[in-house]
Amino acid sequence: MRNLFLTLFILAGLLTAPAPRGVLAQDPAKGTDVIINETLDSLENRLDRLQASLEEEAPETFSPKKIFIPAGETPPEAPRIPEQTPAPAGNITSGKIAAVPDKEAPAAVGLETKIIPLVYAEASGILETLQDMKGPKGEVSYDSAESALILTDTPERVAAMNAYIVKIDILLETEVFELEFIRTDEGLSVARQAVTEGIGQAEAGEKADSIIVTDTPAALGKIRELLKEKDRFNRAIRIKTRVLQIVLNEEHVAGVDWEAIVSEYQGAPFPGLTGAGDGANGGTLSLGVVTKEDYAVLLEALDTVGAVETVDEGTMITEQGKGKTVKVLSAAARGEGDAPSGAGQIHFDVTPLVKKDGTRTVSVTPRLVGGNPGHTIYEGKTEAAVRIKNEETIVVGGLFEEVLVESAWKIPLLGDLPLLGFVFRNEGEVPRRSEIILFLTVTVTDRK
């Protein structure tokens, strides 16, 4: 700029300066035209020297142009350089200065930012999905201090991500389901078809025959009902019963020593029946288990204890977890002897549960529901659970009662004499001690 003004200043001075006096005085005969031409030639030479000097001082990028301006016209205005507007100080938002985008960077047009706090879900579990949902210019971050997600994207994508977060950020619970009859893979199939899509999950548990399900409380309730319906025993259970009464001989008047005979022996207190408890088992009913082979041997061995009589036997069909009642009647209740009919009914409530491996757990509850002058009503209950395997039989003993049996005494030979033999013999009924034994055989059968 300084050089431009200097050039114009020198040019104006040359144009307004008087003609050189020496040239006009020394050669007056040349005329005016000659003098003017000499003066113009001198000015042109001086201008060329000045131009060369300015080009040496100007920077390399400066390239001045010579413009011919006809006389009487004004030169055009030089282009104006736009003034640089200073950048704004920034918008103050939540204690942070908003960054001013670089003018050379593309502007983020049509983007919005939304902050969504998390209540239940873990950020690590959904950030990966949100990264896949955002657009090319979108951003997803997590503020751990505020437990909130920060979403920046187009309104449509922000709305889609927000809908996903609302769906995933809900209360979840975990429950372990233990399976009784179906396999683990069958239980998983039921649970995985019922879990909430994209939220719930089901996997095998560490414990055998169990599955672990994580889902909403409502979904867990639905899965619980489905598994209950699926995981059930769908076969019939047959209970074969047999009641024996042994009139004990003099050598075994205390009753059978069941503890020495059966396996899985256990005692169940049952003081309601007179006489139960003063035998070999010390005031308790005796329960135990015998195998199929031992059951046949035991029936034969009981003949050595006394006179064995089958009082009752039958078969009942029931279902898983549903009880049946076995009635054991005393001699008086059966109408034997002088006791009134209907007295001394002992009921055994039998409830079977069959496991997936075939193991059966049978709950046996004895109770006295009636009596005669020789019995008292026992209203309390004593429950005993016995575990058996396939083809095993439960034995319940220890029920004692007095019965009348026919007895005959005679003198050998003389007691057999005709007419006079009655003098040498004695016939009649005598009281004897007896023990009642109940056998329960539980088997599984297909429904018909």
Side-chain angles (χ1 to χ4, degrees):
M1 184 66 67
R2 181 178 60 83
N3 293 334
L4 178 62
F5 282 112
L6 179 59
T7 303
L8 295 176
F9 178 78
I10 296 174
L11 181 60
L14 292 175
L15 294 175
T16 56
R21 295 179 180 179
V23 175
L24 294 176
Q26 293 178 1
D27 194 4
K30 288 183 177 181
T32 304
D33 295 334
V34 176
I35 296 174
I36 293 174
N37 289 335
E38 290 179 355
T39 302
L40 290 175
D41 292 340
S42 177
L43 290 174
E44 186 176 359
N45 292 334
R46 295 179 65 181
L47 284 173
D48 290 339
R49 291 194 299 270
L50 178 60
Q51 179 67 31
S53 175
L54 291 175
E55 290 179 357
E56 291 178 359
E57 295 179 1
E60 296 181 359
T61 58
F62 180 76
S63 179
K65 297 181 180 179
K66 297 179 181 180
I67 302 175
F68 177 77
I69 304 173
E73 295 186 8
T74 57
E77 294 183 359
R80 294 183 179 181
I81 301 175
E83 296 182 359
Q84 299 291 333
T85 304
N91 299 326
I92 306 302
T93 304
S94 301
K96 298 180 180 179
I97 300 178
V100 178
D102 189 352
K103 291 187 177 182
E104 296 182 357
V109 180
L111 300 183
E112 69 176 23
T113 299
K114 189 169 185 178
I115 300 175
I116 304 176
L118 293 180
V119 180
Y120 300 106
E122 294 290 337
S124 58
I126 59 177
L127 276 176
E128 183 176 352
T129 302
L130 294 177
Q131 291 290 348
D132 294 337
M133 296 177 66
K134 72 179 182 62
K137 297 181 180 180
E139 293 183 359
V140 176
S141 60
Y142 177 67
D143 186 348
S144 58
E146 299 295 334
S147 298
L149 291 166
I150 304 173
L151 312 177
T152 300
D153 214 315
T154 61
E156 295 79 7
R157 291 185 181 272
V158 170
M161 290 188 285
N162 180 62
Y164 169 74
I165 295 172
V166 171
K167 180 181 178 181
I168 206 74
D169 188 28
I170 56 178
L171 176 63
L172 298 179
E173 296 180 353
T174 300
E175 186 171 344
V176 179
F177 295 93
E178 295 185 359
L179 306 176
E180 294 289 337
F181 302 103
I182 61 176
R183 300 188 309 271
T184 301
D185 60 334
E186 294 176 318
L188 284 175
S189 178
V190 172
R192 286 172 177 170
Q193 292 179 11
V195 295
T196 306
E197 183 178 358
I199 298 177
Q201 59 181 2
E203 58 186 7
E206 296 181 359
K207 186 179 179 181
D209 300 325
S210 67
I211 61 174
I212 303 174
V213 183
T214 300
D215 212 323
T216 63
L220 285 177
K222 178 181 178 181
I223 294 171
R224 191 180 302 111
E225 292 299 322
L226 290 174
L227 288 175
K228 183 179 179 181
E229 180 66 22
K230 182 72 174 180
D231 187 29
R232 59 187 300 182
F233 187 78
N234 292 319
R235 302 179 66 186
I237 301 175
R238 176 182 286 115
I239 303 175
K240 184 177 181 180
T241 64
R242 188 173 187 178
V243 180
L244 301 182
Q245 185 172 39
I246 306 176
V247 179
L248 303 171
N249 53 35
E250 297 295 334
E251 292 81 8
H252 298 89
V253 69
V256 180
D257 186 3
W258 295 110
E259 189 172 2
I261 297 175
V262 300
S263 60
E264 305 295 332
Y265 172 83
Q266 59 179 297
F270 189 64
L273 183 62
T274 301
D278 55 356
N281 301 302
T284 60
L285 291 179
S286 298
L287 291 90
V289 178
V290 293
T291 63
K292 182 178 181 180
E293 295 77 12
D294 292 341
Y295 180 42
V297 175
L298 175 62
L299 292 178
E300 295 180 0
L302 290 178
D303 289 331
T304 64
V305 178
V308 180
E309 178 186 3
T310 299
V311 174
D312 188 26
E313 59 182 340
T315 301
M316 300 179 296
I317 302 296
T318 185
E319 298 179 358
Q320 177 83 337
K322 293 186 177 181
K324 285 289 185 177
T325 300
V326 180
K327 298 179 180 180
V328 178
L329 306 180
S330 65
R334 296 194 302 270
E336 299 177 2
D338 297 331
S341 177
Q345 297 186 17
I346 304 171
H347 292 184
F348 288 91
D349 297 328
V350 181
T351 305
L353 290 173
V354 181
K355 300 291 184 179
K356 181 167 53 178
D357 60 357
T359 303
R360 298 133 168 94
T361 300
V362 182
S363 174
V364 181
T365 304
R367 52 193 175 93
L368 183 62
V369 297
N372 62 5
H375 298 73
T376 59
I377 297 177
Y378 178 59
E379 298 179 351
K381 290 185 178 181
T382 300
E383 182 178 358
V386 183
R387 293 176 60 89
I388 60 174
K389 298 180 181 179
N390 190 32
E391 297 186 341
E392 290 185 336
T393 298
I394 297 174
V395 181
V396 181
L399 289 172
F400 297 93
E401 69 172 343
E402 298 290 333
V403 294
L404 297 176
V405 296
E406 293 183 357
S407 177
W409 172 89
K410 65 181 179 178
I411 297 175
L413 299 178
L414 296 179
D416 296 328
L417 293 176
L419 300 177
L420 298 177
F422 72 92
V423 179
F424 303 99
R425 64 177 181 266
N426 184 16
E427 297 179 352
E429 293 181 338
V430 295
R432 297 284 296 275
R433 184 176 174 81
S434 68
E435 181 175 0
I436 298 175
I437 306 170
L438 171 64
F439 295 98
L440 300 171
T441 304
V442 180
T443 57
V444 177
T445 181
D446 294 329
R447 297 182 183 274
K448 295 183 179 180

